[in-house]
Amino acid sequence: LAKTTQPISMDSYEGQEVNITCSHNNIATNDYITWYQQFPSQGPRFIIQGYKTKVTNEVASLFIPADRKSSTLSLPRVSLSDTAVYYCLVGDQLTGGGNKLTFGTGTQLKVEL
Amino acid sequence: NAGVTQTPKFQVLKTGQSMTLQCAQDMNHNSMYWYRQDPGMGLRLIYYSASEGTTDKGEVPNGYNVSRLNKREFSLRLESAAPSQTSVYFCAGSDRRDEKLFFGSGTQLSVL
């Protein structure tokens, strides 16, 4: 089973860049790596997804090394509103198709002034 | 385009009562999921449905049953509610191709 490991928590200050790393040693060849953000009392929200190398969108960058056993979510110039829990997910492909998508413990990011 | 819709938003049950949590999506997702999230904890997968007509157990299936009624709807049933099932329940759908999950707004369930 594909399983992910992340730091439990991280602290930062407004305006800094935050990098959250996730390890996924058992990632399968066809698995994507997807990151989600969750605020209290809300469902997780998609942030970014990648397969290899680097992906960038308007809110984050995702760095994936060649062996794909880890990934790093980079949040540039964080603000107080980025305080949330961040999860990385790796697909766990089923024989008949589809994926069993299991969340890890996530990383609680706290941004202060 | 409503996305993923869960009903009800809040529910209080007495121990031993039964109820069904409803989830419907209009995003043409093949796969649907039910998760529970206890206070201060991560999400745990209860059941999932990789495609219409199939369901399978996740990490914590005991005490629950599911029905994938059609492609749009995936319900979660508690046959005999227990206080340990007090939690927030999230339904999600995904496209098998890219596995991006889209979540409903959740159902807060309290079992007294």
Side-chain angles (χ1 to χ4, degrees):
Chain A
L1 290 177
K3 189 173 180 180
T4 59
T5 304
Q6 304 173 231
I8 299 262
S9 64
M10 296 182 71
D11 294 327
S12 184
Y13 293 97
E14 275 204 318
Q16 290 192 328
E17 178 184 77
V18 171
N19 296 307
I20 306 174
T21 297
C22 179
S23 66
H24 27 78
N25 292 318
N26 296 325
I27 189 168
T29 303
N30 295 331
D31 286 340
Y32 286 92
I33 299 158
T34 313
W35 285 79
Y36 294 86
Q37 176 190 56
Q38 187 182 28
F39 297 112
S41 303
Q42 295 183 24
R45 183 182 70 168
F46 170 85
I47 302 175
I48 196 166
Q49 183 182 71
Y51 183 79
K52 60 181 179 180
T53 63
K54 177 183 174 183
V55 179
T56 298
N57 62 22
E58 62 277 7
V59 298
S61 294
L62 179 59
F63 298 92
I64 304 167
D67 66 5
R68 304 199 331 121
K69 292 181 185 287
S70 66
S71 59
T72 299
L73 174 72
S74 181
L75 304 171
R77 299 180 298 282
V78 294
S79 64
L80 293 175
S81 62
D82 292 315
T83 294
V85 179
Y86 293 83
Y87 296 95
C88 76
L89 255 73
V90 173
D92 187 3
Q93 292 186 324
L94 305 172
T95 303
N99 280 278
K100 180 179 177 182
L101 299 177
T102 305
F103 283 77
T105 55
T107 298
Q108 171 68 64
L109 173 65
K110 183 178 178 182
V111 180
E112 298 176 287
L113 287 172
Chain B
N1 192 343
V4 180
T5 304
Q6 291 183 235
T7 55
K9 293 191 184 301
F10 302 94
Q11 184 70 50
V12 178
L13 294 177
K14 295 180 179 178
T15 298
Q17 285 186 315
S18 62
M19 79 159 296
T20 300
L21 279 65
Q22 306 287 353
C23 177
Q25 52 94 4
D26 60 5
M27 305 178 77
N28 203 33
H29 288 149
N30 288 307
S31 301
M32 297 185 74
Y33 302 81
W34 276 105
Y35 294 90
R36 61 175 287 176
Q37 186 171 37
D38 300 334
M41 305 290 286
L43 287 89
R44 292 185 292 171
L45 181 62
I46 306 171
Y47 269 93
Y48 61 99
S49 171
S51 61
E52 184 179 354
T54 68
T55 61
D56 212 338
K57 296 178 180 179
E59 304 167 271
V60 289
N62 291 343
Y64 305 96
N65 285 300
V66 290
S67 295
R68 183 76 183 267
L69 304 170
N70 47 55
K71 190 170 185 179
R72 290 187 64 249
E73 298 172 289
F74 188 40
S75 61
L76 178 72
R77 183 161 178 83
L78 287 70
E79 290 291 350
S80 179
S84 61
Q85 294 177 305
T86 293
S87 190
V88 179
Y89 291 83
F90 290 103
C91 175
S94 76
D95 187 313
R96 193 182 304 169
R97 178 179 54 83
D98 62 16
E99 305 163 21
K100 293 177 188 174
L101 284 165
F102 293 86
F103 283 83
S105 57
T107 296
Q108 177 128 19
L109 175 68
S110 295
V111 183
L112 306 177

